[in-house]
Amino acid sequence: MNYYNEIKRELINNEVYKKVKDYSKNKSDLTTYYNVGKLLVEAQGGEARAKYGDGLIKEYANKLTRELGKGYSTRSLKLMRKFYLFQKGQTVSAQLTWSHYTELLNIRDLNKINYYIKIIEEQNLSVRELRKKIKNNEYERLDNNTKE
């Protein structure tokens, strides 16, 4: 028996398992947050009224925090609603995490968001790297032909 190869195989299998598990967890998180956002919009009477239904979100946030613990603040629920409204016409990228999306959802310009999604996928950017590019106004520095 070659112990080195066995050890290496075990470690590689573990790394593959962690990556698959991380991917599955991320996909599950994104699906859950999309669904929660959709339910919030529906509970608020539809997309046109969703922007004005912050009282309901505050109420739900308080109840969820009391019953389930941290992670369900008003801000979090508003981000989930925003995520649903943004993603309705888009495809969710498996390469982006919820943290990536929370950074992008603060941007109002759809072209700018799509640019950053594209470079996240192409360059496999971490959230920290994405924040840096946004802070440095990378999109604004592009020439107009590249932006389109």
Side-chain angles (χ1 to χ4, degrees):
M1 173 183 275
N2 184 329
Y3 288 102
Y4 172 79
N5 285 339
E6 289 299 312
I7 290 168
K8 182 178 169 184
R9 186 177 57 77
E10 286 296 322
L11 294 172
I12 288 172
N13 286 343
N14 187 52
E15 289 302 313
V16 168
Y17 173 76
K18 286 194 294 189
K19 295 242 186 274
V20 168
K21 184 177 160 192
D22 288 347
Y23 172 80
S24 295
K25 182 186 179 312
N26 181 52
K27 187 170 173 23
S28 175
D29 286 349
L30 294 178
T31 301
T32 298
Y33 299 151
Y34 176 90
N35 290 335
V36 168
K38 180 180 180 187
L39 291 168
L40 287 169
V41 168
E42 289 172 2
Q44 293 173 319
E47 188 174 332
R49 297 186 54 197
K51 296 173 188 166
Y52 306 104
D54 289 349
L56 184 67
I57 285 185
K58 286 178 188 171
E59 177 189 335
Y60 286 2
N62 289 335
K63 282 182 172 179
L64 289 167
T65 300
R66 238 185 353 266
E67 295 173 21
L68 302 176
K70 289 200 259 185
Y72 305 102
S73 67
T74 301
R75 181 180 181 278
S76 295
L77 294 181
K78 284 181 180 180
L79 280 169
M80 291 176 202
R81 177 183 66 190
K82 207 171 186 181
F83 180 63
Y84 165 72
L85 293 171
F86 169 74
Q87 283 300 141
K88 266 189 355 181
Q90 308 251 349
T91 306
V92 175
S93 171
Q95 289 181 270
L96 275 67
T97 64
W98 177 244
S99 298
H100 284 108
Y101 279 110
T102 58
E103 293 296 321
L104 294 172
L105 290 172
N106 293 317
I107 300 171
R108 295 189 190 277
D109 181 350
L110 185 58
N111 291 326
K112 191 173 177 180
I113 292 171
N114 287 328
Y115 166 77
Y116 285 117
I117 289 173
K118 182 180 172 193
I119 65 166
I120 291 166
E121 292 173 340
E122 288 174 354
Q123 300 173 20
N124 198 26
L125 296 179
S126 68
V127 175
R128 179 177 285 142
E129 292 167 325
L130 171 63
R131 268 191 214 119
K132 186 176 178 182
K133 287 185 179 292
I134 293 171
K135 184 179 177 184
N136 291 334
N137 295 315
E138 182 174 300
Y139 179 78
E140 288 76 3
R141 294 177 185 196
L142 297 173
D143 63 65
N144 287 335
N145 292 334
T146 308
K147 287 182 182 178
E148 295 174 0

